[in-house]
Amino acid sequence: MSARERLTDALYGLGWSTVKKLPEPAAVRLGRTIADLAWKRRGKGVLRLEANYARVVPDAGPERLAELSRAGMRSYLRYWMESFRLPAWSPERVRTGFDPKDLHHLTDGLASGRGVVLALPHLANWDLAGAWVTTALGTPFTTVAERLKPETLYDRFVAYREGLGMEVLPHSGGSAFGTLARRLRDGGLVCLVADRDLSASGVEVEFFGESARMPAGPALLAQQTGALLLPVTLWYDDSPVMRGRVHPPIEVPESGTRAEKTSSMTQALADAFATGIAEHPEDWHMLQRLWLADLEPRAADGERP
């Protein structure tokens, strides 16, 4: 393990061990202070966030984009402060910490026994939404996690999410898809963050007027298992409660090849994500390259995007 990896692991460990013990107002202030410091430094993440917001809000000038990126960093740090504290939240705090609209799409789907895939973008706090599902609805679910470096950091994230009631599968290794399909055929729930995919199997979609790539997994799982595919978007307001919406189901097209159906369904998913992101751009925590126009030049130079 490199020195940088050891430092990263130690910082996350410090967050989970220390921040969760802070009173909530103190954690809120700490998160905002760190966010403002990071924003003022104008590092790569902040600049990338502004560039991404420029696609979402194309008529925004430099001043508006700077305001958005500052609000975006505050939202991002709110996510981290909440996530570090979630293991210490009482069941009642979790139940009252999230207020989703149109929940009937999810509860009706689960009641039908056909299985449900929830697909979310990187909006607000998807971990809190997951904890709410396991706590308020009493419904366990399965998700996947990217293998992080160092391995000890990946283990921390898996332990954290399992502690919130989730079954976590490694993204790599090839067996995750089969396990997810079995859970769905048994009438279970699968939750996937699905607005960014850099793999060769990603589906090209139009996203805010430009080409991007998103994972094929949610659409393929719905096709192969008969599960309901539901987009979910999340956002913060000025209260301690996170808001959310369960969007109507994305149906499997009646005709076309599997690839054509997958493309159509993934585009519908991207459209639902775009609706939520456009309404609350500051809560979209996309500090990485997403659009193909941003990825291809670096790939041509032989660099990893």
Side-chain angles (χ1 to χ4, degrees):
M1 187 188 303
S2 69
R4 183 174 180 177
E5 288 176 342
R6 284 196 298 272
L7 176 61
T8 300
D9 182 57
L11 288 173
Y12 279 103
L14 183 65
W16 271 302
S17 64
T18 303
V19 173
K20 71 178 180 182
K21 298 175 183 177
L22 293 175
E24 191 156 342
V28 170
R29 288 194 300 271
L30 176 62
R32 179 162 291 202
T33 299
I34 294 172
D36 288 349
L37 287 171
W39 178 77
K40 288 175 182 176
R41 289 183 61 189
R42 308 287 294 163
K44 289 182 179 179
V46 172
L47 296 177
R48 174 49 48 193
L49 190 64
E50 278 187 19
N52 290 339
Y53 287 161
R55 257 72 171 241
V56 177
V57 190
D59 59 346
E63 186 175 338
R64 172 63 176 144
L65 287 174
E67 291 173 354
L68 272 175
S69 67
R70 184 177 189 179
M73 290 304 295
R74 287 182 171 184
S75 176
Y76 186 47
L77 264 295
R78 176 173 171 174
Y79 159 75
W80 278 113
M81 293 298 108
E82 286 180 348
S83 294
F84 287 141
R85 289 174 49 75
L86 264 177
W89 281 17
S90 68
E92 181 62 19
R93 178 68 182 87
V94 173
R95 282 191 291 268
T96 59
F98 179 43
D99 178 27
K101 299 179 179 180
D102 299 325
L103 187 64
H104 64 92
H105 292 306
L106 171 57
T107 54
D108 291 351
L110 291 171
S112 73
R114 63 185 286 195
V116 175
V117 180
L118 293 181
L120 307 88
H122 286 81
L123 273 169
N125 192 338
W126 46 97
D127 285 327
L128 172 55
W132 187 90
V133 166
T134 61
T135 303
L137 299 185
T139 302
F141 66 87
T142 305
T143 187
V144 297
E146 181 183 357
R147 281 203 174 275
L148 303 171
K149 296 291 185 181
E151 190 76 14
T152 50
L153 180 57
Y154 170 77
D155 292 340
R156 285 187 192 276
F157 271 96
V158 170
Y160 157 64
R161 291 187 168 125
E162 288 180 341
L164 298 177
M166 313 175 192
E167 179 188 22
V168 183
L169 307 175
H171 188 270
S172 58
S175 62
F177 188 91
T179 303
L180 295 173
R182 286 195 295 274
R183 300 291 183 268
L184 292 168
R185 291 191 181 100
D186 290 339
L189 177 63
V190 164
C191 299
L192 301 170
V193 178
D195 59 344
R196 182 172 183 261
D197 189 303
L198 302 180
S199 72
S201 62
V203 176
E204 190 169 324
V205 296
E206 183 178 299
F207 196 53
F208 291 101
E210 294 190 44
S211 295
R213 193 177 293 125
M214 294 189 181
L220 288 172
L221 285 166
Q223 289 179 64
Q224 293 194 17
T225 67
L228 206 62
L229 175 56
L230 299 175
V232 177
T233 53
L234 311 169
W235 66 93
Y236 291 128
D237 58 18
D238 293 331
S239 77
V241 179
M242 184 177 70
R243 313 296 173 176
R245 175 177 292 112
V246 183
H247 294 253
I250 293 175
E251 303 294 344
V252 178
E254 294 183 1
S255 62
T257 64
R258 185 173 75 164
E260 289 169 342
K261 292 178 180 180
T262 301
S263 177
S264 174
M265 295 173 74
T266 306
Q267 182 63 63
L269 203 58
D271 292 342
F273 291 168
T275 298
I277 292 167
E279 291 174 351
H280 305 279
E282 68 279 3
D283 292 322
W284 189 41
H285 307 151
M286 185 55 66
L287 281 73
Q288 300 85 23
R289 290 173 174 81
L290 176 74
W291 281 273
L292 299 189
D294 295 333
L295 296 169
E296 287 167 351
R298 290 177 62 86
D301 291 339
E303 298 180 31
R304 286 182 61 132

